[in-house]
Amino acid sequence: MAIRKNYALLSAFLFFYFFAQAMSISLLALWLKRTLGLSGAETGVVFAANFIFAMISQPLYGFVSDKVGLRKTVLWLISGLVVLSGAFFAFVYGPLLKTNLLLGAIAGGAYLGVTFIAGSYALESFVDRVGRKYGFEYSRARLWGSLGFAAAAFFSGRLFNLDPLYNFALASCAGLILLPLLAFARIEPSADERESSSALKPADAMAIFKLPKFWGFMVLILGVTNLYLVYDQQFPAFYASHFADPKQGAAMFGYLNSAQIFLEAGMLFVAPFVVNKIGAKNGLLLAAAIMIVRIAGSGLVHGPVPISAMKMLHSLELPILVVSIFRYIAFHFENRLASTLYLVGVSFGHSLGLAVLSPIVGKSYDLIGFPSTYLLIALFAAAFWVASVFALSPTPREAPPAKDAEPDPALAQADLGGGDVAKVN
């Protein structure tokens, strides 16, 4: 009973958290450019600030998450910050960006970086840890997050055209729902789990930087996935530019984003089966290859329909990527450092790369346009993909054995891929 209850509550928590995230930042580029009137370079500076502050908080999130283990400390912090989102955008972020770009970027970076960028990685790592303990597949819970994002994206464009503050207010309402969901969740760490997490020291976390396998993993993370994310952050503005009426473009992007994420949720059921068949390394390479196709394709095709098709590729690569990342970490690194590895290796790695790349790519959009910039990004990403073929370590084609798992047979049987569940930390 506790297993089903925790699965349901954490799935609902992911739904409303990602609903709030979509309402807050899915149309951030449009809000910055159309509502506040920022240029491409200025928008790049704002995004860079977001990822700089996320980068600062991610190592702390990772170590604290491993230190507190299955306790809900980090999730309480994230929930409280989500509640404040509406007031922050309306009374702090927007006014500051209009009067002082640098100060506004710093304030926004501190809030968004901690709440919706680093915070999402910390939440995902926690859910993966709980799923491992109670025997449910991480991706089966995470798909509810995708559905929450899709539900918000479905009407976020129309609300944005009425007033972007409606979107931000709904994000705060979703934050209020997170609090009782978290309060009702009953996640009980065992004595061994408490002892293992409490004994963790900063030196243990720092030791990951001495591991060759860590740096091999980072070739793909720092290279391909970073370039993909910097490509994707101003994609809504590029998509909307294909419509004569900017408001129609914003609304259509909302519908497209919603459709893409609903398909993504379905793929989250299939992804464990795919990764089990081909292995975590090949899963990473497959996801990265789809990213490169989408980036290059966006620079080559013309018109709303082909560009929409490029957007839909995201629903294929993201589920394979996230499952492969957790499987890869589970096979090659210590379980007790899983959150640190995820928050530092993946989340911090993304933020570091995006902090550097966002202003450069933003300036490139202003100078040579979106299509030419996309082709350059794809070229560099392809080079990192080739390097990743040699840098990543091979992994078996099945999930690693579980530790301290108490699987619910009904949940396990519902999983695709022969009922296999992800036992990753």
Side-chain angles (χ1 to χ4, degrees):
M1 191 59 152
I3 298 171
R4 288 175 176 271
K5 180 180 179 182
N6 285 331
Y7 169 76
L9 289 170
L10 287 177
S11 296
F13 190 98
L14 287 165
F15 180 95
F16 287 104
Y17 172 82
F18 282 101
F19 179 95
Q21 185 190 66
M23 282 297 178
S24 296
I25 65 176
S26 67
L27 295 174
L28 183 60
L30 278 179
W31 182 65
L32 294 172
K33 287 191 167 187
R34 200 173 89 186
T35 305
L36 302 184
L38 302 187
S39 67
E42 289 171 331
T43 300
V45 169
V46 172
F47 278 113
N50 293 345
F51 290 107
I52 287 171
F53 279 91
M55 182 174 59
I56 294 170
S57 61
Q58 281 151 356
L60 295 175
Y61 260 143
F63 178 74
V64 170
S65 295
D66 283 329
K67 187 74 173 175
V68 301
L70 290 169
R71 285 171 285 178
K72 299 179 286 185
T73 310
V74 172
L75 270 66
W76 282 117
L77 171 63
I78 293 171
S79 301
L81 290 171
V82 173
V83 172
L84 299 175
S85 56
F88 175 78
F89 276 92
F91 304 116
V92 179
Y93 199 22
L96 276 178
L97 287 172
K98 288 180 180 179
T99 57
N100 188 316
L101 178 69
L102 183 59
L103 188 58
I106 291 172
Y111 175 78
L112 294 176
V114 172
T115 308
F116 291 118
I117 303 174
S120 66
Y121 287 92
L123 172 57
E124 289 177 328
S125 181
F126 180 85
V127 173
D128 171 65
R129 189 187 295 267
V130 175
R132 223 177 355 92
K133 177 178 175 63
Y134 290 104
F136 60 81
E137 171 68 66
Y138 157 78
S139 62
R140 290 191 65 237
R142 177 60 176 81
L143 73 87
W144 291 101
S146 294
L147 292 174
F149 199 102
F154 184 75
F155 55 87
S156 62
R158 285 191 176 276
L159 283 178
F160 183 91
N161 288 333
L162 295 174
D163 190 334
L165 295 182
Y166 292 154
N167 295 43
F168 306 142
L170 283 175
S172 281
C173 293
L176 290 172
I177 298 173
L178 297 179
L179 300 175
L181 291 173
L182 190 57
F184 286 122
R186 291 290 178 265
I187 301 162
E188 303 294 339
S190 66
D192 288 344
E193 288 167 338
R194 287 182 179 273
E195 182 180 352
S196 177
S197 59
S198 298
L200 191 66
K201 298 180 177 63
D204 298 325
M206 294 297 293
I208 65 171
F209 294 106
K210 300 177 182 179
L211 302 174
K213 283 186 177 182
F214 172 78
W215 293 109
F217 179 53
M218 293 302 289
V219 171
L220 185 133
I221 299 301
L222 290 176
V224 183
T225 62
N226 270 352
L227 288 166
Y228 181 77
L229 289 173
V230 79
Y231 144 82
D232 200 43
Q233 63 187 190
Q234 292 199 42
F235 185 82
F238 172 64
Y239 183 84
S241 70
H242 287 76
F243 295 83
D245 182 358
K247 289 188 175 182
Q248 182 189 13
M252 289 303 296
F253 183 79
Y255 296 140
L256 175 66
N257 207 27
S258 180
Q260 175 251 299
I261 298 166
F262 275 115
L263 181 58
E264 175 188 304
M267 276 298 299
L268 280 164
F269 270 109
V270 179
F273 174 80
V274 173
V275 176
N276 283 347
K277 287 293 184 182
I278 66 176
K281 174 182 176 177
N282 290 334
L284 290 171
L285 292 172
L286 174 60
I290 297 171
M291 291 177 186
I292 295 168
V293 170
R294 183 188 166 196
I295 298 169
S298 297
L300 293 172
V301 301
H302 303 283
V305 174
I307 294 296
S308 297
M310 292 299 104
K311 170 65 173 171
M312 294 302 287
L313 288 176
H314 189 64
S315 61
L316 302 180
E317 60 82 11
L318 180 63
I320 296 172
L321 179 69
V322 295
V323 173
S324 298
I325 285 174
F326 281 120
R327 296 283 170 90
Y328 191 89
I329 289 174
F331 276 116
H332 295 295
F333 304 101
E334 271 192 81
N335 285 343
R336 67 184 184 130
L337 294 173
S339 292
T340 298
L341 282 157
Y342 189 57
L343 269 294
V344 174
V346 180
S347 183
F348 179 85
H350 284 164
S351 297
L352 176 62
L354 290 171
V356 174
L357 292 171
S358 292
I360 297 171
V361 173
K363 187 66 175 177
S364 180
Y365 291 146
D366 291 338
L367 293 176
I368 64 174
F370 282 97
S372 296
T373 301
Y374 288 163
L375 292 176
L376 284 174
I377 294 173
L379 181 63
F380 283 108
F384 278 104
W385 186 90
V386 173
S388 299
V389 172
F390 302 98
L392 291 169
S393 300
T395 54
R397 295 188 179 185
E398 64 274 348
K403 294 183 179 180
D404 302 321
E406 302 168 17
D408 181 336
L411 289 177
Q413 290 171 6
D415 286 322
L416 294 182
D420 190 23
V421 293
K423 310 300 191 300
V424 293
N425 201 359

